[in-house]
Amino acid sequence: MTNAERRDLQLPYISDAGIMEEQKRARRLTQELNTADRADFEKLANIVKKLLGKSDGAFINPPFYCDYGTHIEVGKSFFANYNCTILDVAKVIIGDNCQMAPNVAIYTAGHPVHPEIRNTAYEYGIEVTIGDNVWLGGNTVVCPGVHIGSNTVIGSGSVVTKDIPDWVVAAGNPCRVLRRITEEDRKFYFRDRPFDSEGWSGVQRILSEKHSI
């Protein structure tokens, strides 16, 4: 097998000349994205569309960094804020309506633990999957092989080393579940601060419009 074939099967591989040739496309597109006029939202969105393997209305605030781009698949209305890094050696599959705060990093790439083996230049990529309606807080790190369930919030500064289920708030290093998300959470926009009447009316209007589509 070629090293690219080994990489795509999530087997140990070496980043040879063929691998680096594949990465040139992503490097050119991320450079274009990161040096574009930050106020030209249409241009930024178009570059993101070309860069990612699958997207639908995705927007990324530059700077943004990735290895291939083509290994990243995002659902509807994906948003990543400043300084997001996705090392997409293996697939990174993200659902609909997901949001990433600044400085989020998703790593599928890794190296053997034993130093002598690591120095052979063999590395690996293990797939990361994230469900629908997930919010990753600022400076979150998602490690290789992790699955994050739908409707979950990951708190700022978390290092996610193991799977996180649906409908929870999780945080910490290593990241762990803090509590379930319940219907009671509908009332609040931040911790114990409830929506005011005007804001709540706006929420209800938007939800009504979405349900009528």
Side-chain angles (χ1 to χ4, degrees):
M1 285 188 287
T2 66
N3 277 299
E5 289 169 335
R6 293 183 60 83
R7 176 201 64 202
D8 293 346
L9 290 172
Q10 301 185 66
L11 294 172
Y13 76 98
I14 290 176
S15 287
D16 58 14
I19 296 289
M20 298 310 294
E21 189 66 29
E22 286 188 33
Q23 291 188 12
K24 285 183 179 180
R25 174 184 173 276
R27 292 181 182 220
R28 292 186 180 110
L29 284 170
T30 52
Q31 180 172 334
E32 184 181 357
L33 177 69
N34 294 338
T35 57
D37 179 357
R38 303 295 173 86
D40 191 343
F41 300 127
E42 184 177 356
K43 181 176 182 178
L44 296 177
N46 287 336
I47 298 170
V48 169
K49 183 72 174 177
K50 287 190 288 185
L51 178 64
L52 303 185
K54 177 187 173 186
S55 64
D56 184 357
F59 189 83
I60 296 174
N61 260 330
F64 172 73
Y65 307 96
C66 66
D67 282 331
Y68 301 92
T70 52
H71 296 170
I72 302 170
E73 299 182 2
V74 303
K76 298 176 182 176
S77 303
F78 172 78
F79 174 75
N81 219 325
Y82 308 110
N83 208 37
C84 179
T85 298
I86 301 180
L87 299 187
D88 58 324
V89 169
K91 285 278 190 182
V92 176
I93 301 175
I94 300 172
D96 294 340
N97 306 308
C98 288
Q99 299 174 327
M100 296 183 182
N103 301 309
V104 165
I106 299 175
Y107 304 145
T108 68
H111 306 269
V113 170
H114 193 284
E116 189 174 18
I117 306 304
R118 186 166 63 250
N119 290 340
T120 65
Y122 270 96
E123 57 185 294
Y124 61 83
I126 308 295
E127 184 176 280
V128 167
T129 60
I130 297 174
D132 297 332
N133 308 309
V134 171
W135 176 21
L136 303 184
N139 295 291
T140 291
V141 175
V142 180
C143 295
V146 163
H147 171 76
I148 298 175
S150 294
N151 306 305
T152 280
V153 175
I154 305 296
S156 296
S158 296
V159 179
V160 189
T161 60
K162 295 181 179 179
D163 292 355
I164 302 294
D166 299 345
W167 285 100
V168 298
V169 175
N173 181 7
C175 188
R176 61 184 178 83
V177 175
L178 300 182
R179 66 177 182 87
R180 299 284 300 173
I181 295 173
T182 70
E183 284 299 299
E184 187 70 13
D185 289 298
R186 283 182 176 273
K187 302 176 182 178
F188 303 97
Y189 67 93
F190 177 70
R191 295 181 180 172
D192 59 350
R193 297 190 182 191
F195 278 93
D196 62 289
S197 58
E198 182 180 1
W200 187 244
S201 294
V203 167
Q204 291 178 311
R205 183 182 66 258
I206 292 168
L207 291 177
S208 178
E209 289 170 355
K210 285 188 174 183
H211 291 319
S212 66
I213 294 175

